[in-house]
Amino acid sequence: MIHQSNRRELLLGSGALFAWAYLPRVAQAEGRDPRFLVIVLRGALDGLATVAPVGDPDWQRLRGNNALTTDGATAALPLDAFFALNPAMPNLHRLYKAGQATIVHAVATPYRERSHFDGQDVLESGFIRPGSADTGWLNRALAGMPAAGRVNPKQAFAVGPIAPLVARGPAPVLAWTPPRLPPASNDTMSRLVDLYRHTDPALATAMEERSALSAIAGSGAMGDTAKKPQMAQGIPGAAVRAYFAESASAAAKFMARPDGPRVGALAFDGWDTHANEGATKGRLAVLLAALDGAITALESGMGDSWKDSVVAVITEFGRTARINGTEGTDHGTATIALLVGGALKGGRVIADWPGLKEANLRDGRDLKPTTDLRSVMKGILKDHLRVDDHRLAKDVFPGSQAISPLAGLV
């Protein structure tokens, strides 16, 4: 049966962590014990504000005062002569310098519209169009991969009530719910209420009542919040950092065990930065710092297994090349994919750079994609987990015969 991802399922899948309970047979025969974790950033990451093309002569003209530069009080962290990393991510910068991080820029899925839900469906299903499957590419890759034996039947797990689409399929998934859950922002709540007012009035009413109670509880009786770390749109930055770190620590704890799972996936929401994006001192800066902390938690928690690990951080699409009238960015096309782990041949930014001149922007507004995200994931699956080319093109990413795996990542 074809799965049509509905909005409630996608939202309930937020934070989901899935893991496979088998050892890859081919890798084990080679004397390796690889781990692979996929982190989905839902909401569309601004790749230009995360890894800035400071060497592009049109960069500062395009973003003006919002353009990251390698000088000033909030200087970006140089990666090479052309690209620099957002200063909120010093740990990722350290791993990059140690050869344990790679950035692929100007990357995108085959999706070319601007719906989060459809974009996430394509990102996680591995199909060209949304609504094409009720299974995810990662699960299908694992289901057809020769296994050396079950590690522990209780080590396939998911954080949250519903596994994300990328993890759904024949490989077993169990649930684990963290004690700490991230709060929803005011903007997110208002968007959801408006959405469900037309499709699920009862849920909309309940959400409105909850928001009203939260507003009453937060007025006056909560002390001086001005001095507390805050995200834009009402999300406490400390809570987001704690949730990201806790989820990553849980993944590391399970995957580092000798009898633990070897492959997993989790998702972090909140990356839709339409207003007050704040690349260095706002919402995006807090989110990137939280992601940086999650990466550190993974590295620390994996211990000796880190040397055999690859973590891929991906998102449904990018954001507009220009800042909009509310100091944010709208839905775009190309973005970045972040790869970290001790198994990588890192210390590189991989990019067929399209340029930021007006004529080079897609639709006159977006960073033009030059690398297919499927090629990046194919490269990891082939060289790290030894999934063969035929399965990658036929079952994992159907219709991708013309998309070659990106070689040399590990």
Side-chain angles (χ1 to χ4, degrees):
M1 180 178 68
I2 298 301
H3 171 75
Q4 296 289 343
S5 296
N6 64 60
R7 286 158 170 77
R8 188 183 295 194
E9 279 188 322
L10 284 168
L11 291 165
L12 288 175
S14 170
L17 173 60
F18 152 85
W20 198 54
Y22 294 85
L23 291 168
R25 180 191 299 167
V26 177
Q28 188 184 52
E30 298 171 347
R32 299 185 301 113
D33 191 3
R35 271 80 166 175
F36 181 41
L37 178 67
V38 177
I39 299 178
V40 177
L41 304 182
R42 291 193 177 140
L45 172 66
D46 185 349
L48 290 170
T50 306
V51 178
V54 295
D56 190 309
D58 296 291
W59 169 234
Q60 290 193 53
R61 174 193 60 77
L62 193 69
R63 289 252 169 140
N65 294 333
N66 293 287
L68 291 178
T69 63
T70 52
D71 54 22
T74 54
L77 308 171
L79 296 172
D80 55 26
F82 194 87
F83 293 103
L85 182 65
N86 190 292
M89 307 192 80
N91 292 309
L92 178 60
H93 189 254
R94 171 182 57 82
L95 289 172
Y96 180 91
K97 292 299 183 182
Q100 296 182 20
T102 297
I103 294 120
V104 185
H105 218 315
V107 67
T109 73
Y111 184 69
R112 292 295 179 269
E113 303 302 324
R114 305 186 189 280
S115 162
H116 285 300
F117 299 107
D118 287 347
Q120 289 161 15
D121 189 290
V122 171
L123 173 72
E124 298 187 40
S125 73
F127 279 72
I128 297 173
R129 284 176 289 276
S132 299
D134 59 357
T135 61
W137 60 263
L138 185 58
N139 197 300
R140 293 195 304 274
L142 299 174
M145 190 167 64
R150 198 173 180 89
V151 180
N152 186 329
K154 296 183 179 179
Q155 293 307 304
F157 55 93
V159 178
I162 295 179
L165 179 57
V166 71
R168 296 181 201 170
V173 181
L174 300 178
W176 176 79
T177 302
R180 188 193 316 271
L181 293 174
S185 70
N186 295 335
D187 179 70
T188 297
M189 289 297 291
S190 64
R191 289 172 186 269
L192 291 177
V193 168
D194 181 65
L195 171 70
Y196 287 120
R197 189 174 287 117
H198 302 289
T199 60
D200 196 336
L203 179 59
T205 299
M207 293 175 70
E208 284 181 310
E209 291 173 352
R210 181 182 183 277
S211 296
L213 289 172
S214 297
I216 293 171
S219 59
M222 302 302 290
D224 181 11
T225 59
K227 296 179 181 179
K228 298 178 182 179
Q230 296 288 320
M231 283 184 64
Q233 305 174 4
I235 301 179
V240 173
R241 289 192 294 273
Y243 177 70
F244 279 27
E246 185 172 20
S247 299
S249 294
K253 174 184 176 181
F254 284 103
M255 296 180 73
R257 292 175 55 171
D259 63 343
R262 297 305 192 262
V263 178
L266 72 107
F268 293 138
D269 280 356
W271 300 84
D272 197 9
T273 51
H274 281 289
N276 302 314
E277 178 171 285
T280 58
K281 294 183 178 180
R283 177 184 178 85
L284 183 60
V286 172
L287 284 165
L288 290 175
L291 179 60
D292 198 53
I295 291 170
T296 302
L298 286 168
E299 179 193 14
S300 175
M302 291 294 289
D304 290 340
S305 299
W306 182 252
K307 69 180 186 302
D308 299 314
S309 300
V310 173
V311 179
V313 183
I314 58 178
T315 190
E316 65 259 35
F317 45 70
R319 309 198 70 83
T320 48
R322 295 184 185 84
I323 299 293
N324 63 26
T326 58
E327 294 298 309
T329 50
D330 298 318
H331 299 174
T333 307
T335 182
I336 59 170
L338 299 177
L339 306 175
V340 296
L344 288 169
K345 294 178 181 178
R348 299 177 291 160
V349 179
I350 300 172
D352 178 8
W353 189 244
L356 297 176
K357 293 185 183 299
E358 184 76 21
N360 295 334
L361 298 178
R362 183 179 185 274
D363 296 335
R365 52 173 275 169
D366 299 343
L367 179 65
K368 183 184 299 183
T370 57
T371 298
D372 194 309
L373 181 61
R374 293 172 296 175
S375 73
V376 183
M377 295 302 98
K378 277 185 167 186
I380 296 295
L381 292 171
K382 178 180 179 179
D383 293 341
H384 193 50
L385 298 185
R386 296 298 190 241
V387 181
D388 66 75
D389 286 310
H390 177 73
R391 283 200 56 81
L392 287 172
K394 180 178 181 292
D395 301 319
V396 181
F397 297 103
S400 67
Q401 289 84 352
I403 306 299
S404 298
L406 187 58
L409 293 173
V410 296

